[in-house]
Amino acid sequence: MISALLIAAWAGICAIDDIGTQMIRRPLLIAPVIGLILGDLETSLYIGATLEVMWMGVGNVGAYSAPDIISGTAIGTALGIASGGTATAVALAVPTSLLAQQLLVLYRSSIVYLNPIADKIAETGDFSKIFRINYVPMCIAFLIRAVPTFLAIYFGSSTIDVVVEALPEGIMDGLTVAGKIIPAVGIGLLMLMMMKKGELWTFLIAGFTLAVYLDLSVLPITLIALPIALIYDIATQEKVVVQSSAGNVEDDEDYEGDFDL
């Protein structure tokens, strides 16, 4: 009971962060806290890392609401630790996040009605009341993550099983396929954002070679990449400085040429 309340409260706090600074809403940070609450930090780290890779590039784009990674991580991690497996956590996190996604759509659609109220208050010049209006969506965001998380953890995975069994078989097959595709899509989206320059692909090839052909894990590859990235960053900055200095020299020559007799 107490563990379920603490985990639900943590999910609610992460929900508030999701509409604010967005610093602790990622699976890699959500899962370890749940592991500390349940007394199994090691398993929670495995689960958090797995879910982080799976949802690495998932985010809201325009009016699209992405699957709720907060509820999925909280419920998946808690029930995964209880059942003792990362596979169970992933299997529960995917449908849970998709179910909670519908709550997010309703939440974001409903808080739009606060805008006219804020406009009327703004006309009075009382901005303290406008600030207090923000507590309404914060409380709703807290509840739509905390309440389902508490119910799922308190009543166990059977609650989710009942909801999942009520879904058509075609939807469940689609969720299974999506669970396999999402990690590749997430990494692909991340690569599109990061790899803007052609030379950065050489680092991808180097990392692939170290991982596949030398069978190195993430930590040694990171330690090898760190000094290389530092050297690349220093060389890039020096190149920018040299180009800037050359541009200034040309400008000075043109400026002096205007007064050449």
Side-chain angles (χ1 to χ4, degrees):
M1 178 71 173
I2 296 177
S3 297
L5 287 173
L6 290 175
I7 295 173
W10 173 238
I13 293 172
C14 294
I16 296 175
D17 176 78
D18 188 35
I19 58 176
T21 56
Q22 296 188 345
M23 295 295 293
I24 59 175
R25 67 188 185 101
R26 301 301 305 180
L28 202 58
L29 298 175
I30 298 174
V33 176
I34 297 174
L36 290 174
I37 294 173
L38 298 178
D40 192 349
L41 180 61
E42 181 179 357
T43 303
S44 68
L45 289 173
Y46 281 114
I47 294 173
T50 303
L51 295 179
E52 182 66 42
V53 172
M54 188 174 72
W55 285 323
M56 187 176 294
V58 174
N60 299 325
V61 180
Y64 170 73
S65 294
D68 184 17
I69 61 178
I70 295 176
S71 299
T73 302
I75 296 173
T77 303
L79 297 181
I81 291 175
S83 61
T86 304
T88 303
V90 174
L92 291 173
V94 173
T96 301
S97 64
L98 292 173
L99 291 173
Q101 178 186 22
Q102 308 309 314
L103 293 177
L104 290 179
V105 173
L106 294 175
Y107 157 72
R108 288 168 179 150
S109 301
S110 62
I111 61 175
V112 173
Y113 294 100
L114 294 175
N115 292 335
I117 301 175
D119 290 338
K120 292 181 180 179
I121 297 175
E123 293 175 356
T124 66
D126 190 354
F127 292 98
S128 61
K129 289 185 179 180
I130 298 178
F131 179 78
R132 288 195 291 271
I133 288 179
N134 292 322
Y135 289 116
V136 177
M138 288 172 62
C139 292
I140 298 175
F142 181 94
L143 292 174
I144 63 174
R145 262 60 172 261
V147 173
T149 299
F150 172 79
L151 293 176
I153 296 173
Y154 183 74
F155 291 104
S157 59
S158 59
T159 305
I160 300 177
D161 291 338
V162 172
V163 177
V164 172
E165 288 176 1
L167 296 174
E169 184 177 354
I171 294 179
M172 291 307 303
D173 293 339
L175 292 176
T176 303
V177 175
K180 298 178 180 179
I181 295 177
I182 285 176
V185 174
I187 294 176
L189 291 173
L190 186 65
M191 289 171 59
L192 287 175
M193 291 186 291
M194 295 178 62
M195 305 182 69
K196 298 294 185 179
K197 299 180 180 179
E199 61 265 25
L200 295 179
W201 285 91
T202 58
F203 295 102
L204 175 65
I205 296 172
F208 178 82
T209 303
L210 293 173
V212 175
Y213 294 102
L214 298 182
D215 198 22
L216 296 179
S217 61
V218 174
L219 181 58
I221 293 176
T222 302
L223 295 176
I224 294 172
L226 183 60
I228 297 175
L230 180 61
I231 294 172
Y232 173 80
D233 185 61
I234 294 174
T236 304
Q237 291 180 1
E238 290 180 351
K239 181 180 179 181
V240 172
V241 172
V242 171
Q243 291 177 346
S244 178
S245 300
N248 292 334
V249 171
E250 293 177 359
D251 293 341
D252 291 341
E253 291 178 352
D254 294 339
Y255 180 75
E256 292 175 357
D258 293 339
F259 297 93
D260 189 8
L261 298 177

